Amino acid sequence: MRIIFYTVCCLLISSCISEYTLDGSEGFEEQYSVNGLIRPDVPASIYIHKVGDLGKMETISDPSKLRVWITWNWEGEERIDSLQFSVDYFEGDAELKSNTTYHLNVLLPDGKLIKATTNIPSPAPSYDVYLKFPAGFVQLDNITGPFSRFVLTMPDSLIETKYYESMLLQVEENDASKFNIQYCRNDDTATLIENLPSNYLPYFLFQNNKEDKLPMILNFDSVKANPFSNRFIFRLSSVSEQYFWYKKSLLQHLDVLSHNSEFDAPMLFFPDIFKELQPVYSNIEGAEGVFAGYNPTDLSVTCNLSGYECI
């Protein structure tokens, strides 16, 4: 019975293949992937690739045939910055500014114009982040011990909706310019209502559109964060709406693929069949990808030391 079933499947597959031919004369349109996350005080960097068979990214053979530029309005004057190809991306000359809207344009050799728009929001204020250690104890199969709690207080509630991304960074002992992102747990309403795939993530996304206008207090718990042996920075980024939806959809997309933050390739191709695969957000007109702005602010972490505790 198994042999008969296998034979039937082979015949069905072979019949499908024999009936399909790829004819280049059918007017196949080249597809492109355009991506750039922009922030203030540095020039724009844009990555452009061709999308080949089965979504495989391919390098552009002659980048000089593409014209890439961004425009924006500064103090009532229209500005333009032409991006030049460097190594594997297009880079501009002008340092970008906060609280500014930018328009991306990519002119292809065939005359097709790819466009996108985003803004770099104003930075988050220097909010207070207090460390409590030990904030409690955890006992799981793979880890046991005290955990640290990083408490972010946002006292002001703005009228307009703002989008945020938060992450905890551990400063490397031998190189203060390098950081390691720490996984945290968060059970606050502001993050839970975003329907992220987990409450234990390397970064969280949330909004400040609370109707009660009361201060927002968020608690981020980390088992691996020892305040007496490491130094930590809490990074709070105000992000554009495009950035927010891109990072949120990316988390949900990778979760369905059972993909983790380490980018283990063997896990990538075995999606959970009981979850619906979420498309990754794109705001590129005429191509796939994302053009989005963000503005990071590094907040210092305060430990009110009492003996061997942060209270």
Side-chain angles (χ1 to χ4, degrees):
M1 186 67 179
R2 182 179 301 176
I3 295 175
I4 295 174
F5 176 76
Y6 178 78
T7 303
V8 171
C9 289
C10 290
L11 289 172
L12 287 173
I13 294 174
S14 62
S15 65
C16 292
I17 295 176
S18 62
E19 292 175 2
Y20 176 76
T21 57
L22 180 61
D23 186 359
S25 64
E26 294 178 357
F28 175 75
E29 184 179 359
E30 291 184 329
Q31 300 294 321
Y32 286 83
S33 171
V34 179
N35 293 280
L37 299 179
I38 60 174
R39 60 186 178 90
D41 303 324
V42 295
S45 296
I46 305 296
Y47 294 81
I48 304 176
H49 296 85
K50 279 187 177 180
V51 181
D53 296 338
L54 301 177
K56 182 180 179 181
M57 296 297 175
E58 300 176 354
T59 57
I60 298 174
S61 57
D62 190 359
S64 64
K65 293 184 178 181
L66 275 65
R67 184 189 170 204
V68 182
W69 73 98
I70 59 172
T71 62
W72 69 98
N73 185 287
W74 182 253
E75 297 180 344
E77 181 181 345
E78 289 296 322
R79 303 290 183 91
I80 183 171
D81 185 20
S82 295
L83 281 65
Q84 304 300 321
F85 188 76
S86 173
V87 186
D88 59 352
Y89 59 90
F90 291 84
E91 185 177 30
D93 292 321
E95 291 188 357
L96 306 183
K97 306 293 184 181
S98 300
N99 202 25
T100 304
T101 298
Y102 290 92
H103 307 280
L104 171 66
N105 302 272
V106 180
L107 184 63
L108 302 179
D110 61 3
K112 178 181 177 181
L113 184 63
I114 296 173
K115 301 186 296 181
T117 298
T118 190
N119 70 295
I120 299 179
S122 55
S126 297
Y127 294 118
D128 294 325
V129 178
Y130 288 96
L131 172 61
K132 295 182 179 180
F133 178 84
F137 293 84
V138 61
Q139 185 169 359
L140 302 173
D141 294 338
N142 59 340
I143 192 166
T144 301
F147 64 84
S148 300
R149 172 164 291 175
F150 297 81
V151 183
L152 169 65
T153 302
M154 303 173 67
D156 52 338
S157 186
L158 305 179
I159 297 176
E160 75 277 10
T161 299
K162 287 198 71 172
Y163 302 92
Y164 294 98
E165 177 187 55
S166 66
M167 63 178 65
L168 178 66
L169 305 175
Q170 176 188 316
V171 182
E172 287 196 3
E173 184 177 355
N174 299 323
D175 190 346
S177 64
K178 295 183 179 180
F179 311 97
N180 296 312
I181 301 176
Q182 299 295 302
Y183 268 74
C184 291
R185 172 172 177 156
N186 182 282
D187 293 314
D188 295 307
T189 302
T191 60
L192 294 179
I193 62 175
E194 297 300 340
N195 195 30
L196 300 176
S198 172
N199 64 342
Y200 184 67
L201 295 168
Y203 61 87
F204 288 90
L205 298 157
F206 58 94
Q207 307 176 46
N208 74 332
N209 57 347
K210 290 165 65 278
E211 294 182 359
D212 54 24
K213 304 303 178 184
L214 295 175
M216 291 180 62
I217 300 176
L218 295 97
N219 300 287
F220 301 88
D221 298 337
S222 173
V223 176
K224 297 183 179 180
N226 188 331
F228 301 112
S229 59
N230 301 107
R231 186 165 70 90
F232 297 93
I233 293 174
F234 193 92
R235 177 165 294 174
L236 181 65
S237 298
S238 56
V239 303
S240 64
E241 186 175 0
Q242 296 82 18
Y243 184 104
F244 181 86
W245 290 112
Y246 165 69
K247 293 294 286 287
K248 183 175 177 178
S249 66
L250 181 62
L251 276 175
Q252 295 168 337
H253 181 85
L254 296 180
D255 174 62
V256 176
L257 292 174
S258 300
H259 197 41
N260 61 32
S261 64
E262 300 298 328
F263 293 96
D264 291 335
M267 298 296 294
L268 180 58
F269 303 104
F270 298 95
D272 186 341
I273 61 174
F274 297 104
K275 291 184 179 180
E276 182 179 355
L277 186 62
Q278 299 294 319
V280 179
Y281 171 86
S282 173
N283 68 326
I284 307 294
E285 296 181 28
E288 293 297 326
V290 65
F291 178 60
Y294 70 105
N295 199 339
T297 299
D298 288 346
L299 307 178
S300 59
V301 177
T302 301
C303 167
N304 294 321
L305 190 62
S306 177
Y308 293 97
E309 297 182 351
C310 294
I311 59 175

